[in-house]
Amino acid sequence: QQQVKQSPQSLIVQKGGISIINCAYENTAFDYFPWYQQFPGKGPALLIAIRPDVSEKKEGRFTISFNKSAKQFSLHIMDSQPGDSATYFCAASTLPYSTLTFGKGTMLLVSP
Amino acid sequence: DAGVIQSPRHEVTEMGQEVTLRCKLISGHNSLFWYRQTMMRGLELLIYFNNNVPIDDSGMPEDRFSAKMPNASFSTLKIQPSEPRDSAVYFCASSLRPGSAGGLNEQFFGPGTRLTVL
């Protein structure tokens, strides 16, 4: 049973546009929601994360929006750049500690 | 600071052969994860260790797969015998357990081993 559903599978955005990736979860015990970024030939790396006590977290051009009642969260990349082209994974876990459950990933291509 | 180190980076082997993948944790980390990544299934957690002890191996596909942590900084994932369907990129990741020194589950991934079984 997949506990974190991610969409879309792939996304093409023009330079300067907004990239939006969505995730939905089923387990209401999840209370930590990170996004990982993976470049070709590299391992995933933590990009930004949110706890459910806030509805939004922003770091530079990257924003997580969180909707606890809908059990959904999304990543917004403002002013998308070609260097943002990568695969993005959402994930979820329960604190204080548990393993991460990853979504299947979104391949983002930002065209010049 | 060196990150998570994995070796080899690429491995091509024939069906039936034994394959051993290696991982060196970041110094001071005490949790270790092995993942498998394929296009069809995405990132799958195979096994998780904490303080050298296997905590959750429910993701290990079958008895052909085994993982060990002979010491606090090193782990191996062995496939014996290997099969073509084992072809994938295998990642290990390490982290600090929050209870030990703060931090929130951030896992630091190695560069991966691309395994091809012919």
Side-chain angles (χ1 to χ4, degrees):
Chain A
Q1 180 186 4
Q2 183 189 6
Q3 294 188 37
V4 179
K5 294 184 180 179
Q6 184 171 346
S7 63
Q9 208 170 3
S10 62
L11 181 62
I12 300 175
V13 173
Q14 286 198 334
K15 179 181 175 182
I18 302 173
S19 304
I20 301 174
I21 304 170
N22 300 299
C23 283
Y25 62 97
E26 299 163 7
N27 185 349
T28 55
F30 286 148
D31 56 5
Y32 172 66
F33 303 90
W35 286 88
Y36 279 73
Q37 179 188 54
Q38 183 182 27
F39 292 106
K42 305 288 186 185
L46 179 65
L47 180 64
I48 186 172
I50 197 169
R51 298 288 309 279
D53 51 344
V54 296
S55 60
E56 185 175 282
K57 183 173 181 180
K58 184 175 181 179
E59 289 184 2
R61 296 184 293 107
F62 299 90
T63 300
I64 300 179
S65 297
F66 184 79
N67 185 330
K68 188 174 182 178
S69 61
K71 293 186 287 185
Q72 294 175 346
F73 58 110
S74 59
L75 176 69
H76 291 63
I77 306 174
M78 311 301 287
D79 186 26
S80 299
Q81 299 297 312
D84 298 330
S85 297
T87 300
Y88 292 82
F89 294 92
C90 62
S93 74
T94 55
L95 292 176
Y97 195 82
S98 77
T99 56
L100 289 172
T101 299
F102 283 91
K104 289 204 168 184
T106 297
M107 196 176 300
L108 170 66
L109 177 64
V110 181
S111 59
Chain B
D1 265 351
V4 173
I5 299 172
Q6 289 187 247
S7 65
R9 293 295 311 277
H10 302 272
E11 177 80 26
V12 180
T13 190
E14 291 189 347
M15 183 174 63
Q17 296 298 306
E18 177 180 297
V19 175
T20 299
L21 310 181
R22 296 173 175 80
C23 174
K24 185 175 186 300
L25 285 67
I26 292 173
S27 177
H29 283 190
N30 56 8
S31 293
L32 182 281
F33 307 82
W34 280 102
Y35 291 90
R36 178 170 66 177
Q37 185 176 35
T38 60
M39 289 295 293
M40 288 296 294
R41 300 175 69 90
L43 264 173
E44 301 175 274
L45 177 66
L46 301 177
I47 188 168
Y48 147 51
F49 291 85
N50 182 251
N51 290 327
N52 306 1
V53 176
I55 304 298
D56 181 0
D57 65 355
S58 59
M60 296 287 263
E62 48 198 276
D63 292 346
R64 298 185 297 108
F65 285 69
S66 62
K68 294 181 180 179
M69 277 197 78
N71 58 57
S73 60
F74 184 74
S75 178
T76 59
L77 177 67
K78 187 175 293 186
I79 308 172
Q80 166 64 20
S82 57
E83 296 182 3
R85 61 192 167 121
D86 302 331
S87 298
V89 181
Y90 290 81
F91 290 100
C92 69
S94 72
S95 74
L96 273 173
R97 249 194 111 138
S100 58
L104 285 175
N105 278 22
E106 178 175 0
Q107 295 183 18
F108 294 82
F109 284 75
T113 295
R114 180 173 294 278
L115 173 65
T116 302
V117 183
L118 303 173

